[in-house]
Amino acid sequence: TTSSGADTAKEAILTNTGNGTVRVTSGDEHTKETWQGRLTTLDMDVKDEAAIEQAAEDVKNKFGNQVRLVINVSGILHAEKNLGSVSQAQLFETFNVNTFGHLLVYKHFAPLLSHKKDTGDGHDDPARGVLPSGKNALVSISARVGSIGDNGRGGWYSYRSSKAALNQVIRSLSHEMSRRSPQHPALCIAYHPGTMKTLLSAPYTGNQSAADTNGLFEVDEAAEKLLTFLQGAKDDMSGGFWAYDGSRVPW
């Protein structure tokens, strides 16, 4: 799984809002920064439902049912070039992280979403600067290569199919959130951030410059684009597959 994208999103959120922020990671990746007590770091393996459930319980104990935004960046890439490269073990691992892990996070964290309605101009909303006034959001980092309609090259069997399945999870999730809270449904978004220059993408981007390559971004720029997108998100965008520039990605 990747952490550099999560770190940058965390920095952007803490800078743009007064909300408390939880950074969830696996292993021994911790940060010494506390952001004046607004940053909480928890250990959680998205392949372990018990760990997800415990992390959700820890968040509930600290913040109550006041969660406004979940950004799920967990992802792993096995780039199979052909059928001979496909491995059952890697297929299971990829779907566990890229698809099932996202779904289980929403199973345990969606019940923690705030149900308070916005009753003013949003000026006092602690999430102002990150989300539209009074809105909640569940966001999964997907990828354009998960688009079936946009698949013009093939390959990457496990990654492509796990992201396509993730997009279906987000679509179904949007319907459930609407049924749970018809007057205040959470925005559910499958989001293509472009290609971020991280350890995950390094073998495929080489020495390309983010400044000179369309759709390739440094992680801080990608995080800012995500926040800009979220600030402008509308109710009718929920359940959709969207790119960093606000365009709809074909299923």
Side-chain angles (χ1 to χ4, degrees):
T1 57
T2 60
S3 61
S4 56
D7 282 335
T8 307
K10 172 260 296 180
E11 296 276 350
I13 291 170
L14 286 164
T15 300
N16 284 275
T17 181
N19 266 14
T21 299
V22 178
R23 175 185 185 268
V24 181
T25 184
S26 61
D28 298 320
E29 301 172 32
H30 290 283
T31 177
K32 296 180 179 179
E33 298 174 275
T34 63
W35 283 80
Q36 293 77 47
R38 290 168 48 217
L39 176 64
T40 301
T41 300
L42 300 175
D43 283 333
M44 187 189 81
D45 184 346
V46 296
K47 301 188 297 295
D48 181 352
E49 184 174 5
I52 297 171
E53 185 175 15
Q54 183 59 58
E57 185 66 23
D58 291 342
V59 170
K60 182 177 181 179
N61 289 339
K62 181 162 186 174
F63 298 103
N65 289 40
Q66 298 299 323
V67 172
R68 299 290 302 282
L69 171 64
V70 177
I71 302 176
N72 199 328
V73 303
S74 60
I76 192 168
L77 169 61
H78 295 296
E80 308 96 343
K81 295 181 179 179
N82 50 52
L83 287 172
S85 303
V86 174
S87 155
Q88 185 181 54
Q90 289 182 349
L91 285 169
F92 286 157
E93 181 183 35
T94 301
F95 271 83
N96 273 335
V97 174
N98 294 1
T99 309
F100 307 146
H102 286 241
L103 178 56
L104 290 171
V105 165
Y106 297 134
K107 172 186 174 181
H108 293 287
F109 279 83
L112 305 183
L113 290 172
S114 171
H115 292 287
K116 291 183 178 179
K117 297 181 180 179
D118 179 37
T119 57
D121 60 5
H123 183 76
D124 295 327
D125 186 343
R128 188 168 66 96
V130 174
L131 290 170
S133 179
K135 294 294 183 183
N136 303 324
L138 302 172
V139 181
S140 277
I141 301 303
S142 186
R144 185 178 293 275
V145 294
S147 166
I148 297 172
D150 195 49
N151 183 354
R153 300 184 62 182
W156 290 25
Y157 285 97
S158 60
Y159 191 74
R160 285 185 185 275
S161 54
S162 68
K163 292 294 188 179
L166 172 60
N167 294 342
Q168 182 71 283
V169 165
I170 290 295
R171 184 69 170 181
S172 293
L173 181 67
S174 69
H175 291 304
E176 180 164 351
M177 292 299 100
S178 293
R179 289 192 295 268
R180 282 192 185 187
S181 183
Q183 302 304 316
H184 193 228
L187 296 169
C188 301
I189 301 291
Y191 180 79
H192 167 58
T195 301
M196 292 183 285
K197 288 186 70 66
T198 64
L199 291 176
L200 184 145
S201 66
Y204 314 103
T205 58
N207 295 320
Q208 297 178 66
S209 167
D212 299 329
T213 305
N214 185 40
L216 178 63
F217 305 112
E218 300 293 346
V219 288
D220 55 347
E221 184 181 6
E224 289 296 338
K225 286 183 177 295
L226 171 58
L227 293 188
T228 298
F229 173 87
L230 288 175
Q231 290 165 22
K234 307 296 184 185
D235 288 345
D236 61 3
M237 298 173 73
S238 188
F241 185 14
W242 301 91
Y244 58 88
D245 59 0
S247 62
R248 186 184 289 272
V249 183
W251 295 118

